[in-house]
Amino acid sequence: MTAWLSQFFIHPAFVLPGLGLVALPVIIHLINRMRYRRVRFAAMEFLLQSQQKNRRKLLLEQLLLLLLRMAAVALLVALIARPFFDPSQLLVLQGEKTHHVVLIDDSGSMDDHWAETSGFQSALEAVRKIAQQGARQAGTQNLSLLLLSQPDQPLLTQASLDPTLINELETKLDNLKCSHRSLDLIAGLQIAGQQLKNPAAAKHLHVISDFRSRDWGPESALAVALRDLDKSGIDVNLVRSVPTRHGNLAVTELVSTVNLAAANVPLRLRTRIKNFGDQVAKNVRLSVLQDGQKLPLSVAVDELEAGAEVTREFDVVSNTPGKHEIHVALPADALDADNVRYLTVDIAPTNPILIISGNLADGEALYLQDALAPAAGLTGFAPVIENVEFLRRQPLQAFGTIYMLDVAEVPADALRVLKDYVAAGGGLVWFLGPQVRPAFYTEKLYEEGKGIFPTPLSTVNELTVDATNPAPDLSFENHPIFRAFQGQDNPFVENVRISQYVGTPKEWTPPVNVRIISRFRNKAPAFLEHAYGKGRIITCLTTCGVRWTDWPRNPSYVLLQLELEQYVARNVGTTSQRLVGEPIEIVLDPAIYRSQLEIRPPDATGIVRLTAVVPKPANGAQPAPGAETRLVETYRDTGSPGIYNVVRFKQDESTDPLLLAYNVPVEESELELAASDEIRRRLGSDTHIRIQEFGNFDWIQGRQAGQEVRDFLLLVILVVLLGEQWLAMRLSFHPTARQPSAPARLGGQGVVSRPKPAAAVVQDSHQQPVTRGQA
């Protein structure tokens, strides 16, 4: 009985005893009647006859007074038991069950922690309270539980709330962990709405989140989605799980500024630190670790304003070739996951570079070779000089960059190999010279803007000395390969002299995919950049050696070639960084690799062994004739940030590890909360969506609706008590002061005396009083 009453009262234990108190006025009335003894005597007959005329009216008034007193007691009991009114309870009385769908936001920002708890733990506590309250109304409440990271895989689906389910739920909640991903709350709401499709059920959706300000802009799609749910008849509760905004520093970037890395050669890294809090951060120190060992260096920021971001660069040196892990770390704060950023680098013994010379005898290529590798092991580059025939004799994938110096023509089969190399990500650099045939370059290499050369060519032009124009022969755009020459006067570059170059047609205009990054003194293009497939191409319209320029004899030449190589080379030194949650797709060549492979996650949960298979063609289609067979496997459990080690086993029994760096999304570092008033403004005044503040669980027990009923009860009690007092005053006897008897005329005849009112109450020394109406 108490369980059933708990659907309507916050304190149902007071209801049944309180009903007994309602009979108290009747009991008191009956006791009072037992105190009097009826005595009949002649003097009262006159009054009794008069009373008979008003008896029915008096009985009705006295009955009404008794009912008012009983109602007053019943209302006081109800006030103590605290009833609440929920329209859905009407459906419960008809046999329907209330369906609660709880959507827990487990995005990265919910790991915001303070004291001994976090936003995610607060969300789990709210779920416990919802379930416990529902279990008190066993048989009437259903619960569906969804995580935002996987809303299509509910933890519970319309489970009937009872003590047994509470134990099962507790086990599930204990095993839950907050993700580090950036999640789509709108998509979660849509799936949660599908859970509440039954139109006959009482529908409640509880969204437990931190409600960050970034989701509640002027055109908030989230507000639109919530309004749609409200219009569909779903009772929506927005439950806050974080009390206030906490300060947070985050590492937002860690990248290599170069594409190549070699043993014993400094590797320049760039990192960014941002203050996502609302207070100034001082004495910020960033630790640098390589392969788990802290390096004897740190990145320091003396002061970082609220909302500001700083960039710092530093060098690390690896003494051994191979794959290495690098990460940087800030001290602990409200959100620990974004204090660390991971990077993997593949350190090569040397980085081979191919130089194709159109004339091996002229020695032009030696200037480039000396600039890239003045001494063995000094720069990590290993350039080799070959003629154009090498392109079709040897595989090119081992080279990070190919330089083409004053090559007259490229044979068709070599050109096809060169195109494939660049399209796959290889770097290509063109330097021209007197042997270049403009017609071949325009027709076969430019290909109307679709080829591996950026511009059509015209003729060789002279860059004559102009005494009236003191400008240097070269000017540079803002570009990484010229960054050492910008921002200040550079006497070395200003002294470079260009005598000749190959011009472009006057009518030619660079398309959107071609950028002119340097010009000659006469404004003709000098350096151009464009892309072909995944590769970068840099083109210089003058010579690499001293045939048309004295630049190789200028100290700035070495700096140019080193920056050019680092910029254009194939990215073989660092792997692309990924965000947590992105799957790892492994594609293996069965001629090289076995089908077995291992995944070693960063959270040390153990080794995951997988087997790659040949994927089945879609829709039963047959593979194309001659198509290469590949083994494919996908690993999806990448929710933790860190380094994932994918171990591939070769057919020769050796292993080929692949290190992949996974980091948290930067947007989850923003911990600013949306104000409740702002959320209400975005939702609009015509919705019934409620916002529950952090730490307030009164709504779970229906206390908000109960507050409205309590106010109504207080008003009713006031009216009942006023009515009872008025009616009691009207029905009670109030004697007045004794007045002198006045003569009264009777029918115009003699004078008679007024009867004494003392007949209303008579008693003797041994009897109780007899009151009016009881004689």
Side-chain angles (χ1 to χ4, degrees), residues 7-79:
Q7 303 173 58
F8 310 99
F9 296 92
I10 295 176
H11 304 303
F14 292 98
V15 176
L16 294 179
L19 290 178
L21 295 178
V22 173
L24 189 61
V26 177
I27 296 172
I28 294 174
H29 175 74
L30 294 177
I31 291 175
N32 284 335
R33 288 183 61 87
M34 293 173 61
R35 295 173 56 200
Y36 300 102
R37 178 181 177 183
R38 294 188 178 186
V39 179
R40 300 184 64 86
F41 53 95
M44 296 296 297
E45 292 300 324
F46 174 78
L47 294 175
L48 288 174
Q49 291 176 5
S50 174
Q51 184 190 36
Q52 291 297 328
K53 299 178 181 180
N54 299 316
R55 181 178 180 83
R56 181 174 297 177
K57 178 181 178 182
L58 288 173
L59 287 175
L60 289 175
E61 288 177 340
Q62 295 234 2
L63 180 60
L64 179 60
L65 177 61
L66 184 61
L67 291 175
L68 286 175
R69 288 172 175 170
M70 294 173 65
V73 174
L75 290 171
L76 288 173
V77 171
L79 194 62

